[in-house]
Amino acid sequence: MSKPKVAFFDFACCEGCQLQVANIGEPLLDVLDIVQVVEFREVMSEKWDGEFDVAFVEGSITDEHAVQRVKRIRERSKILVALGSCATIGGVNGMKNSFQLEEVGKYVYGESYKFFPTIHTKAVHQVVKVDYFINGCPIYQPEFLTVLKCILQGIPYYVPEYPVCVECKLNENVCMYDRGLTCMGPVTKAGCNSWCINNGNICYGCRGLTINPNTEGFKEVLKKYNIPEDFLMKKIEMYNKCKELDKS
Amino acid sequence: MSQNININVNYLTRVEGHGNIVVEVKDGKLEICRLEIVESPRFFEAFLRGRSIYEAPHITSRICGICACGHTLASIQAAEDALGIKPSEQTTLLRKLLLHYEHLDSHLLHIYLLVAPDLVGVPSFVPLIKTHPDVVRRALKMKRLCNELCDILVGRHVHPISTVVGGFTKLPRVNDLEEMHKRLLELQKDMEATVELFSKLTFPDFERDTEYVALVNDGDEYPLLYGDIGSTDGYRVSKYEYKNVTNEFIVPYATAKRTRWHRDSYAVGALARFNLNHEKLHPKAKQAANVLNLKPKCINPYFNTVAQIVECVHCVEDAIRIVETVWQNGINYDEIVVPDINELGKLPQRAGEGVGAVEVPRGLLIHHYECDERGIFRNANCVIPTNQNTHNIELDMLKLVPEIINKSQKEITLALEMLVRAYDPCISCSVHMVEVNFK
């Protein structure tokens, strides 16, 4: 049996999630024993023009050229994986969607903005079908390896639908709300082992909103701590602005 | 003699981000020679408007995964400058430590995974797993050590968690210092092997004199986190005058802005820092420079990688010094800051303008912010190292192509790719050319 052919592609992103993969370190050699990485532009010059068994796509889709490119990648791939927040939910690039596109272009590039045609930021699944989602800004390496194992065994991977709070409680962190702060943990998908809160920061919601968040309960929490709803909406927008484009 | 050459490198590999090299030679005459940046812009400066300046480090870190800690530190410096926050001595020391980790992590990735394959003539590190297993293992181990150092200090390397405006949301415990110390000693050994390995490899022989720009200071510390902006042509200005240094201009065939100061172009990065501040390097780093045959003022751009190796030696030694100093002083845990957008009002808020100027792996990085009295962004401007190098790279290519024009197209292409790679360009970052008129 030949090794599955794996490739990495990037769109509008910081390439940090691919770097997280390169950063796995020596265990990476074990991974390279069972798969054949045929394309990974950030660290390899090799190119491949055949079919991919698994294509990891990092970044969000922000122009027509990218739409065409990701469609071509989809056509050539048996399995397509959205890697990291930009790909899974649009990520910080989604904040652009709060503005008029032309105004954004002019603000950054002045009159040469026409050289940078841009469309509303989209997550990858809003353009092509996605088979696996690896959330996070950046991705959490243990989760990446778990998903990779699922892919290679041909079984689905279910992103946890319970909130970050569940993991946070297990990690015995003091609740940010008790510290007088607003944290996105209660409405954000778990799976990162409450990485940011373990390090004394709040959750920014980078893994995306839970499918069925307890909105009413959360409103009560906000009321209890006297936090205005629009303040929270702004926080949600940091990563989750593209959700508005989901056809549900 | 090649009469006609057409080189079109679409999506240059082993660099961060998307760039193309285009060279056209017609009847033996060089007609086109340029480096195109084709990354999709993300408009960071535009969507920062309306966000809290306290969120700036978190958001601007996402400009780049490779230089995340560098952006975070420049962002914090600009925000604190705007808000009038003075970091404590402990905070400053730990930030310097983080910056060392950033340089190590980024340089090692570049030296081993991106440049080394060229020097042995293979397309990536993958074939090296079979031919040079010890080297690949060492490279991956060093990468892992750097990542672990960042994990201990700030939670992770890609988008650090605990380093925020005002200080740190989490401070290392004594056993954390011990763990960092242990790993640094291991890196110290690995750096010896690295210097040894690269002293046997040959870098291309090419020279072009240019102006080198980096932070400078009056002290005896190798300046990375603070300093004035200095040049090998003998100039020095404060960071607030950065616009007089960058003098951004536009070339007709590219939308990305270029920079020049006293000559047609200038270079930033490890080689620029070495040329300006070599005397302030740790003695061991100076020794490494000798072994690797790097002498100031070095004008061979391919030697930027060598300067990175020398800097790695320096960063390991100075990081060990910092960890030992913090250990001896003891950590003051009362300095832990509450994160987020200052809901508790523990930190000041005021209308202001601030500049952060930090030497990140690829060179001088500037963040320039302006916020209103509620601490909400009015304007933001970032000047990225790779943008400052783009024009310099092109002028290098212009001088290099005629010198090697008798070689095959394949050889010329490789020489040009290696030249661009030597600068360690970070193209995700470099699409942030901004036109903001601060009044």
Side-chain angles (χ1 to χ4, degrees):
Chain A
M1 192 184 126
S2 69
K3 292 181 187 176
K5 292 182 173 55
V6 175
F8 286 81
F9 300 96
D10 43 59
F11 291 84
C13 66
C14 76
E15 298 188 20
C17 290
Q18 286 174 75
L19 198 61
Q20 284 291 85
V21 176
N23 280 346
I24 289 172
E26 290 121 300
L28 202 59
L29 294 175
D30 302 331
V31 174
L32 290 172
D33 269 343
I34 50 169
V35 302
Q36 186 191 356
V37 180
V38 290
E39 228 178 280
F40 193 159
R41 193 200 43 77
E42 192 176 22
V43 291
M44 291 166 58
S45 291
E46 290 91 337
K47 289 259 167 70
W48 175 254
D49 51 14
E51 199 175 60
F52 307 109
D53 292 299
V54 188
F56 288 96
V57 174
E58 185 187 2
S60 45
I61 309 302
T62 58
D63 56 36
E64 273 312 319
H65 174 70
V67 171
Q68 299 313 318
R69 212 176 118 226
V70 79
K71 282 180 177 167
R72 276 202 303 279
I73 291 168
R74 176 70 265 190
E75 284 161 14
R76 296 168 58 197
S77 311
K78 287 181 187 157
I79 301 281
L80 190 142
V81 189
L83 183 73
S85 290
C86 293
T88 58
I89 57 170
V92 291
N93 300 334
M95 281 189 275
K96 182 184 77 182
N97 296 358
S98 305
F99 296 84
Q100 291 289 334
L101 292 182
E102 192 174 297
E103 190 277 331
V104 165
K106 278 187 180 163
Y107 178 78
V108 177
Y109 295 101
E111 278 316 304
S112 39
Y113 79 97
K114 291 193 179 72
F115 293 110
F116 296 95
T118 189
I119 58 174
H120 281 296
T121 301
K122 288 187 174 123
V124 175
H125 71 271
Q126 293 168 334
V127 182
V128 294
K129 181 172 167 285
V130 170
D131 303 301
Y132 289 87
F133 291 84
I134 306 179
N135 288 298
C137 181
I139 55 165
Y140 183 57
Q141 286 147 326
E143 191 182 27
F144 172 82
L145 291 170
T146 304
V147 179
L148 186 66
K149 285 175 199 163
C150 290
I151 295 170
L152 296 175
Q153 294 172 87
I155 55 176
Y157 171 76
Y158 296 105
V159 177
E161 277 304 339
Y162 47 83
V164 171
C165 300
V166 174
E167 289 168 342
C168 202
K169 288 280 180 289
L170 287 169
N171 285 321
E172 300 180 0
N173 294 315
V174 174
C175 180
M176 288 290 168
Y177 285 92
D178 286 339
R179 293 178 64 190
L181 301 167
T182 312
C183 175
M184 296 288 291
V187 290
T188 302
K189 287 182 170 106
C192 59
N193 192 27
S194 64
W195 208 351
C196 293
I197 306 107
N198 302 351
N199 284 280
N201 212 324
I202 55 161
C203 170
Y204 290 85
C206 76
R207 295 177 53 85
L209 299 172
T210 45
I211 282 185
N212 190 13
N214 178 358
T215 320
E216 290 312 306
F218 196 47
K219 278 182 183 163
E220 270 175 44
V221 172
L222 294 180
K223 214 158 57 209
K224 178 181 165 190
Y225 291 100
N226 210 359
I227 297 159
E229 270 182 52
D230 61 346
F231 178 79
L232 187 84
M233 285 317 294
K234 197 143 184 80
K235 272 193 181 312
I236 287 178
E237 274 182 13
M238 190 190 281
Y239 283 99
N240 292 281
K241 183 73 183 168
C242 289
K243 205 171 166 59
E244 298 165 358
L245 303 171
D246 270 334
K247 299 179 201 72
S248 50
Chain B
M1 174 86 191
S2 318
Q3 283 302 302
N4 293 305
I5 299 171
N6 278 305
I7 293 174
N8 241 315
V9 180
N10 275 333
Y11 288 175
L12 189 65
T13 56
R14 278 184 281 137
V15 300
E16 201 286 349
H18 300 99
N20 302 337
I21 296 174
V22 183
V23 173
E24 279 180 28
V25 176
K26 215 167 157 184
D27 304 330
K29 194 169 148 280
L30 181 58
E31 296 214 325
I32 296 178
C33 178
R34 61 193 186 212
L35 174 64
E36 295 175 340
I37 305 289
V38 290
E39 186 79 19
S40 308
R42 288 169 293 158
F43 305 98
F44 268 86
E45 295 85 356
F47 62 64
L48 276 171
R49 290 170 306 164
R51 308 283 329 181
S52 162
I53 197 165
Y54 284 91
E55 291 177 326
H58 181 95
I59 297 172
T60 58
S61 170
R62 272 76 187 163
I63 290 174
C64 176
I66 292 188
C67 6
C69 297
H71 275 289
T72 304
L73 289 167
S75 178
I76 289 172
Q77 196 181 105
E80 289 182 351
D81 195 23
L83 296 161
I85 297 171
K86 294 267 179 295
S88 72
E89 201 176 322
Q90 174 176 287
T91 298
T92 303
L93 260 185
L94 292 174
R95 283 177 185 168
K96 284 178 178 170
L97 184 63
L98 176 62
L99 193 51
H100 284 331
Y101 293 170
E102 172 82 328
H103 280 267
L104 283 167
D105 195 275
S106 175
H107 283 355
L108 288 167
L109 174 80
H110 183 241
I111 295 161
Y112 272 106
L113 296 181
L114 310 184
V115 171
D118 282 331
L119 302 177
V120 254
V122 289
S124 79
F125 76 97
V126 178
L128 298 177
I129 298 173
K130 283 203 171 63
T131 56
H132 302 70
D134 298 355
V135 174
V136 173
R137 279 202 178 277
R138 182 168 66 235
L140 290 174
K141 180 181 134 210
M142 290 174 89
K143 276 292 294 167
R144 179 176 53 79
L145 286 170
C146 289
N147 279 293
E148 286 171 356
L149 287 167
C150 288
D151 291 351
I152 295 168
L153 186 60
V154 289
R156 62 191 175 211
H157 173 256
V158 178
H159 310 321
I161 300 169
S162 65
T163 174
V164 296
V165 175
F168 288 81
T169 59
K170 184 184 176 183
L171 287 164
R173 294 179 299 270
V174 171
N175 64 330
D176 291 331
L177 294 173
E178 214 169 331
E179 288 295 327
M180 291 199 282
H181 200 257
K182 208 163 70 189
R183 284 170 176 77
L184 285 165
L185 292 182
E186 228 173 302
L187 274 174
Q188 198 176 32
K189 283 205 293 283
D190 290 326
M191 275 321 298
E192 282 169 21
T194 304
V195 172
E196 163 79 8
L197 169 75
F198 280 83
S199 67
K200 294 197 198 91
L201 295 170
T202 320
F203 287 84
D205 187 21
F206 166 77
E207 289 193 331
R208 188 178 75 86
D209 196 11
T210 188
E211 182 175 22
Y212 290 94
V213 174
L215 290 181
V216 293
N217 63 12
D218 294 325
D220 44 17
E221 185 177 354
Y222 191 73
L224 294 172
L225 190 60
Y226 296 107
D228 290 338
I229 304 172
S231 129
T232 45
D233 287 355
Y235 299 88
R236 178 171 170 169
V237 298
S238 104
K239 67 177 180 182
Y240 297 103
E241 296 172 61
Y242 76 92
K243 284 191 174 165
N244 299 334
V245 174
T246 54
N247 299 302
E248 292 178 322
F249 66 99
I250 290 175
V251 289
Y253 54 81
T255 42
K257 283 183 196 153
R258 310 294 178 91
T259 62
R260 60 179 164 223
W261 197 4
H262 300 100
R263 304 191 189 196
D264 292 337
S265 70
Y266 65 83
V268 296
L271 191 58
R273 288 188 292 262
F274 175 83
N275 281 337
L276 277 153
N277 300 311
H278 55 93
E279 287 163 8
K280 297 175 182 179
L281 284 164
H282 188 275
K284 269 197 178 170
K286 286 181 186 165
Q287 212 178 330
N290 270 336
V291 173
L292 295 164
N293 216 353
L294 173 67
K295 297 180 187 67
K297 173 190 179 184
C298 169
I299 54 171
N300 177 348
Y302 290 101
F303 267 61
N304 189 49
T305 309
V306 179
Q308 288 182 331
I309 299 170
V310 169
E311 280 194 332
C312 285
V313 175
H314 172 84
C315 289
V316 170
E317 298 301 328
D318 202 50
I320 291 173
R321 178 193 65 84
I322 293 176
V323 170
E324 287 172 355
T325 307
V326 174
W327 208 336
Q328 272 159 2
N329 296 350
I331 290 198
N332 177 3
Y333 293 97
D334 295 342
E335 288 191 8
I336 287 183
V337 292
V338 176
D340 199 19
I341 52 177
N342 208 20
E343 283 155 286
L344 293 177
K346 282 201 168 182
L347 296 165
Q349 246 161 235
R350 67 171 196 197
E353 205 179 315
V355 174
V358 174
E359 282 291 343
V360 297
R362 288 154 192 75
L364 178 64
L365 170 68
I366 310 270
H367 278 227
H368 181 186
Y369 299 162
E370 195 186 351
C371 67
D372 68 15
E373 63 287 349
R374 293 165 306 144
I376 303 293
F377 259 106
R378 271 214 193 99
N379 279 309
N381 181 19
C382 307
V383 184
I384 307 290
T386 295
N387 290 341
Q388 297 170 72
N389 279 332
T390 310
H391 207 63
N392 204 68
I393 296 174
E394 242 173 52
L395 294 181
D396 281 353
M397 296 200 309
L398 276 170
K399 180 169 185 282
L400 178 64
V401 173
E403 288 179 17
I404 55 174
I405 204 149
N406 292 328
K407 295 191 171 177
S408 71
Q409 182 154 325
K410 199 174 156 210
E411 283 172 308
I412 297 175
T413 306
L414 179 66
L416 290 170
E417 286 186 356
M418 283 174 70
L419 175 70
V420 177
R421 250 177 236 138
Y423 281 87
D424 195 4
C426 189
I427 298 168
S428 283
C429 284
S430 66
V431 281
H432 300 280
M433 278 61 59
V434 202
E435 190 144 31
V436 183
N437 295 317
F438 285 99
K439 295 190 176 51

